[in-house]
């Protein structure tokens, strides 16, 4: 730790790196890039408080197993367990579920190396704490995070195929509130959800939705990958088999290559949950432009939070994610078109994925952006942790 503190103190430009799963220049820097993967992978569970203090570079896959052994769980996980806890929380990484906030909402304390090399701890009792959690790497090098835990639980997930998009007009809320975590997929090749993933806690009653007359999707009879034609071997177990929370909440298994479908680009937009259906309708109107460059689109829900730079700030949201083919030239015009169609819904892009939203428009969609800018100036007056991405979008 002393070595890291000295490095930060004497450096001019330095940024923390997580597991490098971001798709834009957020994680780049003009100077040194520091990975914390080599620091001891501490995971100290406080069973009385129901918290864990975890080293920044630990990946969710390792953390989840450790927590489960101690009888604890995290309320939610992203689709991929290979990402670092600090990197995920710095960008408001999320899973799905109307009652589940993004992963950053579990953070109750941060320990970070600040611009002058000091090791500082900030907790929820600090007024500016909500500005620090989704910190985009701009406030310092986070070395540990304390996360709130819940008792460990079992889950089962079932996949259903082929739900017409029309059904969402009247039943979107029923569908997304049907289970702890519901994920909707479409390839935009037809006006239908190609797959609906219903991920339930084993201690909750089975979803009634699957018995409703309007729920015309058919239960999958074999495990499926969200992208048609890809092997489901990389996916977490389906077909209603009960397993631990960390074996069901992510879509992908920790022992497989950390990519959903080989080379790809990602974009994702968050809109208010009440706007989900019109936003999906707006995208359906351009599906012939989307489908040639998209591998899959996933729709999830995320609960509102109070974290200043979270795209879910004070808004129960729906996230609309695109896995694109790995052809930036072909994809960018479609990204711009998607943004144009989602503009009436004030769509906020995922910080770590590809977007073309102009900086002034992006800032206007974050009511605490100027507070965050002021906070960064206090913690890092010389811009030691800055980069061109932050300059462009936040100053
Ligand atoms: C296949 C795939 C699936 C994904 N699935 C999801 C998903 O389900 N939901 C979702 O929301 N996102 C998803 N993402 C996006 C991913 O969660 C984010 O890109 C996340 O930030 C990656 O974390 P990382 O550790 O790789 O961080 P990096 O990409 O290495 O860094 C991201 C940011 O975090 C900062 N950072 C990292 N470590 C620290 C630290 N110690 N201190 C301070 N700042 C730090 C960096 O400076 C940078 O600004 C996915 C990405 C991929 C490739």
């Amino acid at each position: 730790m002393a070595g890291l503190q000295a490095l930060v103190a004497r450096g001019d430009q330095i940024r923390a790196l997580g597991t490098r799963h971001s798709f834009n220049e957020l994680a780049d820097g003009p100077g040194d890039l520091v990975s914390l993967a080599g620091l001891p992978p501490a995971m100290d569970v406080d069973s009385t408080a129901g918290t864990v203090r975890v080293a920044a570079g630990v990946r969710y896959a390792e953390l989840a197993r450790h927590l489960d052994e101690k009888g604890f769980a995290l309320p939610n996980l992203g689709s991929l367990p290979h990402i670092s806890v600090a990197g995920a929380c710095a960008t408001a990484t999320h899973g799905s579920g109307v009652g589940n906030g993004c992963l950053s909402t579990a953070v109750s304390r941060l320990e970070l190396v600040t611009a002058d090399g000091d090791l500082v701890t900030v907790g929820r009792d600090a007024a500016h704490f909500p500005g620090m959690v989704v910190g985009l790497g701009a406030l310092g090098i986070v070395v540990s995070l304390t996360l709130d835990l819940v008792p460990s639980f079992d889950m089962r997930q079932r996949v259903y195929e082929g739900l017409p998009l029309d059904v969402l007009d009247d039943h979107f809320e029923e569908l997304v509130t049907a289970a702890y975590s519901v994920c909707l997929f479409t390839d935009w090749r037809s006006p239908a959800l190609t797959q609906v993933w219903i991920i339930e806690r084993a201690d909750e009653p089975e979803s009634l939705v699957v018995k409703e007359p309007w729920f015309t999707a058919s239960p999958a009879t074999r495990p499926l990958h969200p992208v048609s034609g890809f092997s489901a071997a990389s996916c977490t177990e389906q077909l209603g088999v009960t397993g631990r929370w960390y074996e069901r909440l992510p879509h992908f298994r920790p022992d497989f290559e950390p990519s959903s479908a080989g080379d790809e680009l990602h974009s994702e937009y968050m809109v208010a949950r009440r706007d989900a259906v019109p936003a999906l309708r707006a995208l359906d109107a351009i599906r012939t432009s989307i489908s040639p460059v998209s591998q899959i689109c996933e729709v999830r829900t995320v609960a509102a939070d109070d974290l200043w730079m979270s795209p879910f700030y004070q808004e129960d949201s729906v996230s609309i994610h695109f896995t694109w083919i790995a052809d930036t030239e072909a994809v960018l015009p479609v990204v711009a078109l998607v943004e144009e169609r989602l503009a009436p819904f004030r769509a906020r892009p995922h910080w770590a994925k590809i977007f073309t939203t102009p900086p002034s428009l992006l800032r206007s969609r974050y009511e605490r952006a100027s507070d965050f800018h002021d906070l960064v100036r206090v913690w890092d007056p010389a811009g030691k942790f800055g980069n061109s991405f932050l300059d462009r979008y936040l100053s």
Side-chain angles (χ1 to χ4, degrees), residues 15-16 18-22 79 84 87 91 93-94 142 300 350 352:
R15 276 184 73 74
T19 45
R20 306 169 196 217
H21 282 97
S22 298
S79 67
S84 79
T91 63
T93 290
H94 63 92
V142 174
R300 290 176 281 184
H350 194 302

Side-chain angles (χ1 to χ4, degrees), residues 30-340:
D32 295 326
L33 293 172
V34 187
S35 164
L36 305 189
L39 289 178
M43 295 179 269
D44 305 322
V45 173
D46 180 336
S47 299
T48 311
T51 60
V52 61
R53 180 178 163 276
V54 58
V58 170
R59 296 166 188 244
Y60 278 99
E62 302 148 42
L63 175 62
R65 272 208 193 91
H66 181 75
L67 295 180
D68 196 55
E69 279 165 20
K70 305 269 179 195
F72 286 99
L74 292 167
N76 211 356
L77 292 168
S79 67
L80 196 71
H82 307 73
I83 54 179
S84 79
V85 176
C89 292
T91 63
T93 290
H94 63 92
S96 191
V98 291
N100 297 320
C102 70
L103 305 189
S104 325
T105 57
V107 180
S108 67
R109 203 176 315 134
L110 292 170
E111 197 183 2
L112 70 167
V113 176
T114 58
D116 45 15
D118 289 344
L119 188 60
V120 171
T121 301
V122 191
R124 268 196 193 124
D125 49 342
H128 54 275
F129 185 71
M132 299 197 67
V133 181
V134 181
L136 307 173
L139 296 155
I141 312 279
V142 174
V143 294
S144 81
L145 306 91
T146 302
L147 308 178
D148 293 338
L149 304 175
V150 295
S152 190
F153 54 98
D154 281 332
M155 304 194 87
R156 50 181 179 249
Q157 70 181 342
R158 290 192 176 81
V159 176
Y160 296 82
E161 295 184 89
L163 188 69
L165 210 58
D166 288 350
V167 169
L168 299 190
D169 291 345
D170 294 326
H171 300 290
F172 180 82
E173 276 298 304
E174 285 158 273
L175 185 54
V176 296
T177 56
Y180 189 82
S181 171
V182 175
C183 307
L184 315 176
F185 293 90
T186 175
D187 57 14
W188 293 115
R189 284 176 182 84
S190 66
L193 298 174
T194 45
Q195 294 177 16
V196 175
W197 289 39
I198 293 188
I199 311 168
E200 297 170 316
R201 289 180 63 122
D203 54 5
E204 285 173 347
E206 282 195 30
S207 165
L208 289 174
V209 148
V210 299
K211 301 184 185 87
E212 296 293 342
W214 58 264
F215 190 75
T216 52
S218 352
T221 52
R222 62 190 199 293
L224 291 177
H225 189 287
V227 182
S228 167
F230 281 80
S231 162
S234 59
C235 296
T236 48
E237 194 161 358
Q238 303 161 23
L239 300 171
V241 178
T242 300
R244 305 303 281 161
W245 57 280
Y246 65 90
E247 297 168 327
R248 297 294 178 273
L249 283 169
H251 299 329
F252 300 103
R253 297 157 56 116
D255 44 342
F256 275 80
E257 194 54 27
S259 161
S260 59
D263 283 342
E264 59 201 30
L265 304 171
H266 289 194
S267 301
E268 188 165 27
Y269 299 94
M270 327 301 177
V271 302
R273 199 169 100 210
R274 64 179 171 279
D275 289 333
V277 172
L280 291 172
R281 281 286 173 208
L283 295 176
D284 185 42
I286 54 165
R287 72 183 155 77
T288 53
S289 301
I290 297 174
S291 62
V293 291
S294 138
Q295 298 191 25
I296 198 67
C297 172
E298 181 178 17
V299 180
R300 290 176 281 184
T301 55
V302 187
D305 61 46
D306 66 349
L307 305 175
W308 298 357
M309 298 313 286
S310 161
F312 317 104
Y313 181 72
Q314 296 190 342
E315 193 78 83
D316 284 331
S317 300
V318 63
S319 66
I320 307 175
H321 160 89
F322 298 85
T323 300
W324 306 112
I325 59 169
D327 180 345
T328 308
E329 211 177 307
V331 164
L332 279 183
V334 184
V335 167
L337 179 62
V338 164
E339 290 175 3
E340 183 196 303

